Amino acid sequence: MSTALYEVKNISKSYGSVVALSDVSLKIHAGEVIGLVGDNGAGKSTLVKVLSGAHQQSEGTVILEGVERKWESPHDALVAGVETLYQDSGLAPHLSVSANVFLGRERYTKGIFGKMGFLAQKEMDAVAHENLEKVGIAVPQSSRSVSQLSGGEMQRVLVARALAQEPEIMLLDEPTSALDLHHQIQTLSQIENLKNNGVTIISTMHDITLGAMFAERFILMNRGTVVTEGPASEVINSALFKQVFDNRISVHTLDTGRSIVMPTKDIY
């Protein structure tokens, strides 16, 4: 396989006495769609934050395109082409939906107001409308205040803002957590389209069955370490996968060959 696009070597991260990541090493290749899976507290979100520059690793090395990186802030990663969408990413409440989406162009415009102190409303609306349509939000809604949106609509605006960034690498932390099933599939399909255009996707995934429809490779984490990695179907069907979830899941294979993961019911 070709040289890794993004690589972490021996990454560790602690919060006081709590170890969030312990000696994690990974290689991520251009154009992959990778799902980070595991139980709560496995270290998935912390790993995303290290990759994005939101957390500095306690130990270890982050390498992007063959160059060792020392992110000082998420902005450094953003300029390098790494866009991140967190569970707790916020929208600017005083701006319209359209303006919030256009904020994703900061990498190219050096700020929403540009060198002349303003940007043409027409340009801003064109960028916003293009990306809002991709996530299923109608153009007339773009002038609304984000404070008028539902939780699911806000999540889709965040995805639209990330799409506007046109990143080389997109890091996602539960991108479909606030969406209904229809919009989960719509959003993941759009993310898959990015992959087809050469964007590398790394995402934490709570819904493992849904994630396996889109991710080519799963990285299974537990207690801050990487347990195993490989094709999504192989990881789901491995004994290690069930052990990570304390054998409280069952895996079933449909006639189509797709695996689905079901929780088992406790009997008292």
Side-chain angles (χ1 to χ4, degrees):
M1 188 176 280
S2 60
T3 302
L5 172 67
Y6 213 174
E7 186 175 1
V8 295
K9 294 182 177 180
N10 310 115
I11 294 294
S12 296
K13 177 68 181 177
S14 297
Y15 303 99
S17 61
V18 178
V19 177
L21 295 175
S22 179
D23 200 29
V24 172
S25 295
L26 290 173
K27 290 184 178 181
I28 298 154
H29 296 270
E32 284 191 293
V33 179
I34 294 176
L36 300 176
V37 296
D39 209 352
N40 291 339
K44 305 183 299 295
S45 295
T46 300
L47 180 57
V48 166
K49 289 180 178 179
V50 168
L51 290 170
S52 71
H55 280 338
Q56 291 296 305
Q57 68 271 21
S58 300
E59 300 175 10
T61 305
V62 174
I63 299 171
L64 176 62
E65 296 183 320
V67 178
E68 183 174 341
R69 308 289 177 144
K70 292 291 185 183
W71 306 133
E72 298 296 330
S73 71
H75 181 73
D76 293 341
L78 182 67
V79 170
V82 181
E83 170 68 15
T84 309
L85 177 60
Y86 303 112
Q87 292 184 54
D88 55 356
S89 293
L91 296 170
H94 59 290
L95 296 178
S96 67
V97 170
S98 181
N100 268 278
V101 173
F102 195 78
L103 283 171
R105 300 296 294 174
E106 181 181 5
R107 177 185 176 193
Y108 307 99
T109 64
K110 296 181 171 29
I112 192 169
F113 296 107
K115 295 180 180 179
M116 301 300 294
F118 66 91
L119 283 168
Q121 185 73 34
K122 183 177 181 180
E123 178 186 354
M124 183 172 73
D125 286 344
V127 170
H129 294 171
E130 176 186 357
N131 290 286
L132 287 168
E133 286 180 347
K134 291 176 181 177
V135 297
I137 292 183
V139 169
Q141 292 181 284
S142 64
S143 61
R144 296 169 62 191
S145 166
V146 295
S147 62
Q148 297 175 306
L149 303 180
S150 68
E153 287 173 326
M154 288 183 181
Q155 184 78 350
R156 282 186 280 156
V157 172
L158 284 168
V159 173
R161 187 174 72 185
L163 295 176
Q165 174 64 32
E166 297 182 1
E168 283 76 40
I169 300 170
M170 184 175 283
L171 305 174
L172 304 165
D173 192 13
E174 302 293 356
T176 60
S177 60
L179 304 180
D180 59 40
L181 184 58
H182 169 73
H183 288 110
Q184 285 181 28
I185 294 173
Q186 183 180 50
T187 298
L188 289 173
S189 295
Q190 185 55 47
I191 290 169
E192 188 174 50
N193 286 338
L194 286 176
K195 182 260 184 186
N196 295 334
N197 289 317
V199 180
T200 302
I201 313 292
I202 308 163
S203 179
T204 65
M205 293 182 171
H206 179 71
D207 189 327
I208 296 170
T209 298
L210 185 61
M213 292 174 61
F214 295 89
E216 300 160 320
R217 181 156 66 105
F218 270 179
I219 295 172
L220 178 64
M221 300 187 67
N222 187 41
R223 298 181 180 179
T225 66
V226 173
V227 177
T228 189
E229 59 179 292
S233 60
E234 290 183 11
V235 172
I236 287 176
N237 285 284
S238 70
L240 287 171
F241 182 77
K242 293 182 179 180
Q243 289 173 17
V244 164
F245 290 94
D246 296 325
N247 293 307
R248 299 178 70 178
I249 59 168
S250 58
V251 179
H252 306 272
T253 303
L254 303 179
D255 292 341
T256 59
R258 188 163 68 90
S259 297
I260 60 172
V261 179
M262 300 287 291
T264 57
K265 183 178 180 180
D266 287 325
I267 300 176
Y268 297 99

